[in-house]
Amino acid sequence: MKKQQSSFIAMASTLKMVFMLLFSILTISPVSCYKGAHHPLDPLSPKELTLVQTIVKKSYNPSSNNSISFHYVGLDEPEKPTVLSWLSKPSTETLIPRRALVFTRVNEQTHEIIVDLSKRIIVSDEVYKGPGYPLLTADEQVAAIQLPLTYGPFIESAKKRDLNVSYAVCSTFTVGWYGGAERTKRVVKVQCYYNKDTVNLYLRPIEGIQIVVDLDKMEIVEYSDTFKIPVPKADGTDYRFSEQKPPFGPRINGAAIMQTKGPGFEIDGHTIRWVNWEFHLAFDVRVGPIISLASIYDPEKHTYRSVLYRGHISELFVPYMDPTEEYYYKTFFDCGEFGFGQNAASLVPLADCPNNAVFMDGYYAAHDGSTVKVPNAFCIFERHAGDIMWRHTELGIPNRVITEARPEVSLVVRMVATIGNYDHIIDWEFKPSGSIKAQVGLSGVLEVKSTTFTNVDQINEEVYGTLLGDNTIGFKNHDHFLTYRLDLDIDGVANSFVKQNLVTKHVNDEVSPRKSYWAVVSETAKTESEAKIRSGMAPSDLGQLRTPLLLEDDYPQIRGAFTKYNVWVTPYNKSEVWAGGKYVDQSQGQDTLAVWTLRDRKIENEDIVLWHVVGYHHSPCQEDFPVMPTLSAGFELRPTNFFERNPVLKVLPPKPVRWPNCTAKP
């Protein structure tokens, strides 16, 4: 039979709505799947990270006063044709040379370095002189937040507020850019909190104090104490179970997944095989989990078919909606400024992941280049949620009732990035039907600011948030815009992007009593500008996606202009990986996805990359206090006219489980 145009559907959902993004990919050539021990897309190993540290440090005179810090060390991704050629005939005898991409600071200058690990040499070392700075390291942030605790003016400010400085805990915040020339120094603002009688420090800010730290010199360069407001009370803010008092809520019944034969998936290095899926999983200090070379087995064609060459979260833009002098600068880019991988939390068995999960560690380079291990950075598990894969009950045949149903089982890869007060639960879920679901859940603790108000009836001014308790404003109205980079190679690298528009049609004949209907009209985008999609621009299967509410000329939105559209499509470019640019801290929006697409390059029948923006508008509410229930959103890539028929039609039903007889006790 003649096939329809092959495609994948991306569906996205938030708590109270479901929306659909429909796009189609015209297919060209197939790609063979990988079967081997060594993989060219593996993340840098601990030994390779140590080798990078040694090579880079030796390139500068060790006896001099050169101050070297490492801000990004990751795989310098090989060119795609090279990888695909190797994968067609994988061999340990013809390995692709391993290279590392390194961002360092040397004597207050930013260096972009390529290290050839095979030859143990530096291939290139270029000084970056434009606006913006590289990723903040964990070590320098820790050093910065210690400075106020021994700083005389801060100690005096604490005494003035009757606070014991030994209970003060501080945190770093990037300063952004607000017009004019860029700053010439790498600085952060430091805000302090009071954690006496609670570990929920973000709910007890010490207001009125502004601190600026120079990270290169590691010293306080600006300090002011302009006003005093009582620190919010600690009562009722602690989220630890050991600190909760009656009455308690309902007890959740625990569940255990029994897999007597072990996991239903296989892990070979960083390659994971499960049911009809095969893909590669890597850890990156900046973006966290990277899914590569995802392919699915087609039972009709008896071969694996490529779907996703490379997929990951590219950037997370979080602008807060408080324009006051104390808080206007809080507009963050969590991947480019702080790093998802650098802030990966070690996952807790039976809490973060179910009992059938398998864990993988992650590794990255610290401030001094030494290797940091993140135990249990990933968990991989089969999800048995009680959902239905497909079913039908037939009642239309006389004297017969036919019921067929199959339970839904999927494979989940999970990582949690905790950046300050927010916990980001990052899931990649693979389904036997061919779908890939990407989802991020947000939990953690609200940031708040102190206020003199104790009751909503007292509020007579704009507070930019919600009064959650005595002297506590939920901080504040804000957004989360997650930009995914999806290098989709559907059956090969040459693809096109097809938008599906919903168009109302008029019935003009005199036969039908109907006056109208709607139809799907396909439109193939030929250039980048034709591929941009923004929610509400025209009726489409895109539905109701979140879009920015800031003015386009507002400085944070200039830097985050890549969130203006929900869908972007660009031709593949190895250097276009991070939507916010290479150097995000204090950047001016000069190197972003929005700027790249101004070239309006050809994308029809090309190797293309899809960028999908998923957004939240978060207005804090009482139920977010003192810890936030998880709020989730994401999208689902679904095959459309990709297979000849339902790919899970013949999935084997599970064998019945015989449970022991149980007798209820009186």
Side-chain angles (χ1 to χ4, degrees):
M1 79 181 243
K2 183 178 179 181
K3 282 199 66 178
Q4 297 284 334
Q5 180 173 276
S6 177
S7 63
F8 267 68
I9 295 176
M11 299 182 65
S13 63
T14 59
L15 280 184
K16 294 187 178 179
M17 69 170 58
V18 175
F19 50 90
M20 180 183 294
L21 159 66
L22 176 62
F23 61 91
S24 299
I25 304 292
L26 305 178
T27 64
I28 303 294
S29 59
V31 175
S32 300
C33 66
Y34 163 73
K35 301 279 186 184
H38 184 80
H39 200 292
L41 296 180
D42 280 351
L44 298 182
S45 67
K47 288 184 179 180
E48 288 175 319
L49 290 170
T50 300
L51 183 58
V52 169
Q53 178 193 35
T54 301
I55 294 172
V56 171
K57 284 192 170 183
K58 282 186 176 180
S59 68
Y60 299 93
N61 186 354
S63 62
S64 69
N65 293 323
N66 288 321
S67 174
I68 305 173
S69 56
F70 293 77
H71 296 262
Y72 177 83
V73 180
L75 177 71
D76 180 36
E77 182 184 331
E79 295 291 346
K80 185 190 283 192
T82 304
V83 174
L84 297 181
S85 176
W86 186 88
L87 290 173
S88 65
K89 293 181 180 180
S91 170
T92 56
E93 297 178 0
T94 56
L95 295 178
I96 297 175
R98 298 277 286 173
R99 291 188 171 189
L101 173 63
V102 185
F103 296 160
T104 65
R105 292 280 292 172
V106 182
N107 296 332
E108 301 188 14
Q109 288 187 318
T110 299
H111 288 246
E112 182 175 331
I113 303 170
I114 300 294
V115 178
D116 189 317
L117 296 171
S118 305
K119 298 179 180 178
R120 303 193 173 205
I121 60 171
I122 288 181
V123 176
S124 63
D125 184 347
E126 298 180 358
V127 176
Y128 173 73
K129 297 182 179 180
Y133 298 100
L135 191 76
L136 277 64
T137 70
D139 290 344
E140 65 186 353
Q141 291 180 74
V142 169
I145 64 177
Q146 298 298 320
L147 294 176
L149 307 183
T150 56
Y151 188 62
F154 179 76
I155 295 173
E156 288 300 315
S157 294
K159 289 180 179 178
K160 185 170 65 175
R161 291 164 172 79
D162 295 323
L163 302 177
N164 186 336
V165 75
S166 66
Y167 289 109
V169 178
C170 304
S171 185
T172 56
F173 299 89
T174 50
V175 299
W177 168 74
Y178 294 90
E182 70 271 16
R183 286 177 177 261
T184 58
K185 299 293 183 181
R186 290 182 65 242
V187 297
V188 292
K189 290 199 174 185
V190 175
Q191 184 172 357
C192 299
Y193 306 86
Y194 202 58
N195 78 323
K196 184 180 181 182
D197 301 322
T198 182
V199 297
N200 202 339
L201 60 102
Y202 290 101
L203 295 188
R204 307 198 72 197
I206 302 172
E207 300 281 8
I209 299 172
Q210 296 283 314
I211 306 171
V212 177
V213 171
D214 184 320
L215 292 176
D216 289 326
K217 290 184 169 56
M218 199 50 67
E219 62 183 23
I220 294 175
V221 292
E222 295 179 30
Y223 185 89
S224 64
D225 184 352
T226 54
F227 64 91
K228 183 175 68 172
I229 289 181
V231 174
K233 297 177 181 178
D235 297 348
T237 64
D238 208 314
Y239 47 80
R240 291 173 294 176
F241 178 72
S242 61
E243 297 300 312
Q244 305 310 306
K245 304 292 189 295
F248 292 104
R251 182 178 293 278
I252 298 174
N253 190 22
I257 298 172
M258 303 300 294
Q259 293 182 307
T260 57
K261 295 183 179 180
F265 53 90
E266 172 191 346
I267 301 178
D268 178 10
H270 289 271
T271 298
I272 299 173
R273 301 181 184 92
W274 174 77
V275 185
N276 50 357
W277 278 104
E278 179 174 289
F279 60 92
H280 182 273
L281 172 64
F283 178 91
D284 181 77
V285 66
R286 179 161 174 166
V287 303
I290 300 177
I291 303 294
S292 300
L293 299 168
S295 59
I296 188 167
Y297 187 78
D298 188 329
E300 302 292 331
K301 296 181 180 297
H302 306 289
T303 188
Y304 279 88
R305 300 172 64 187
S306 65
V307 175
L308 178 68
Y309 179 77
R310 204 109 157 118
H312 57 83
I313 295 174
S314 179
E315 190 55 85
L316 171 55
F317 176 39
V318 188
Y320 282 81
M321 301 298 143
D322 188 337
T324 62
E325 177 64 25
E326 294 77 30
Y327 287 104
Y328 74 88
Y329 63 90
K330 292 201 171 187
T331 54
F332 308 122
F333 295 80
D334 281 351
C335 288
E337 293 176 337
F338 299 101
F340 266 12
Q342 180 173 239
N343 289 277
S346 291
L347 300 174
V348 180
L350 303 182
D352 290 318
C353 308
N355 69 305
N356 63 324
V358 174
F359 294 83
M360 292 177 62
D361 301 331
Y363 300 89
Y364 67 88
H367 185 84
D368 64 356
S370 61
T371 300
V372 177
K373 177 182 177 179
V374 183
N376 295 359
F378 296 137
C379 70
I380 303 100
F381 60 92
E382 289 174 290
R383 173 178 280 161
H384 301 259
D387 295 330
I388 298 172
M389 181 185 292
W390 65 263
R391 80 168 320 278
H392 180 62
T393 295
E394 182 55 68
L395 301 172
I397 302 174
N399 303 317
R400 297 185 68 185
V401 176
I402 301 171
T403 296
E404 288 283 331
R406 302 291 183 270
E408 178 76 278
V409 181
S410 58
L411 184 74
V412 177
V413 174
R414 174 170 295 167
M415 193 195 91
V416 173
T418 299
I419 301 179
N421 57 304
Y422 259 102
D423 293 69
H424 309 78
I425 306 160
I426 305 165
D427 280 2
W428 287 87
E429 182 176 2
F430 296 82
K431 299 183 179 182
S433 61
S435 290
I436 303 175
K437 185 177 181 180
Q439 182 168 283
V440 171
L442 297 179
S443 187
V445 178
L446 282 177
E447 254 197 280
V448 305
K449 71 174 181 178
S450 304
T451 178
T452 57
F453 303 126
T454 58
N455 189 289
V456 291
D457 294 334
Q458 300 171 347
I459 299 176
N460 55 7
E461 61 187 58
E462 177 65 76
V463 295
Y464 310 104
T466 305
L467 185 68
L468 300 177
D470 290 354
N471 310 117
T472 306
I473 295 291
F475 188 6
K476 316 192 181 69
N477 301 328
H478 60 280
D479 298 323
H480 301 260
F481 288 107
L482 293 140
T483 301
Y484 284 80
R485 180 182 185 269
L486 304 165
D487 185 356
L488 291 161
D489 284 359
I490 309 299
D491 274 341
V493 296
N495 294 270
S496 295
F497 179 76
V498 180
K499 293 188 287 186
Q500 305 280 34
N501 299 314
L502 307 185
V503 178
T504 300
K505 298 280 189 177
H506 295 272
V507 178
N508 297 318
D509 59 61
E510 299 179 356
V511 178
S512 174
R514 290 283 298 273
K515 294 184 178 181
S516 63
Y517 63 98
W518 64 262
V520 178
V521 177
S522 298
E523 176 189 353
T524 301
K526 292 179 169 45
T527 63
E528 292 174 282
S529 62
E530 294 179 6
K532 297 174 183 177
I533 299 176
R534 186 177 187 182
S535 173
M537 291 177 64
S540 70
D541 281 344
L542 195 65
Q544 202 62 40
L545 285 160
R546 300 290 193 264
T547 52
L549 299 176
L550 295 176
L551 297 176
E552 289 186 21
D553 63 350
D554 196 357
Y555 295 108
Q557 190 58 39
I558 292 173
R559 299 175 68 209
F562 51 88
T563 62
K564 178 180 179 180
Y565 294 96
N566 301 109
V567 175
W568 309 71
V569 179
T570 62
Y572 170 81
N573 186 321
K574 176 186 169 182
S575 66
E576 295 176 359
V577 176
W578 300 307
K582 289 182 179 179
Y583 305 103
V584 178
D585 179 32
Q586 299 182 44
S587 65
Q588 300 179 16
Q590 75 284 352
D591 175 31
T592 70
L593 172 61
V595 173
W596 307 335
T597 59
L598 293 176
R599 289 172 282 179
D600 205 16
R601 295 163 291 186
K602 181 177 178 292
I603 60 171
E604 186 178 17
N605 196 28
E606 298 284 346
D607 185 0
I608 57 177
V609 175
L610 184 137
W611 307 75
H612 185 36
V613 179
V614 178
Y616 305 74
H617 296 309
H618 188 184
S619 179
C621 62
Q622 206 70 51
E623 288 76 11
D624 292 332
F625 182 86
V627 64
M628 294 179 286
T630 300
L631 173 70
S632 298
F635 60 93
E636 184 170 339
L637 298 170
R638 297 180 57 185
T640 304
N641 302 317
F642 180 77
F643 296 107
E644 291 287 345
R645 56 181 54 82
N646 182 351
V648 290
L649 171 66
K650 298 180 181 180
V651 67
L652 297 175
K655 294 180 180 179
V657 178
R658 295 185 180 274
W659 296 100
N661 293 328
C662 297
T663 303
K665 294 182 179 180

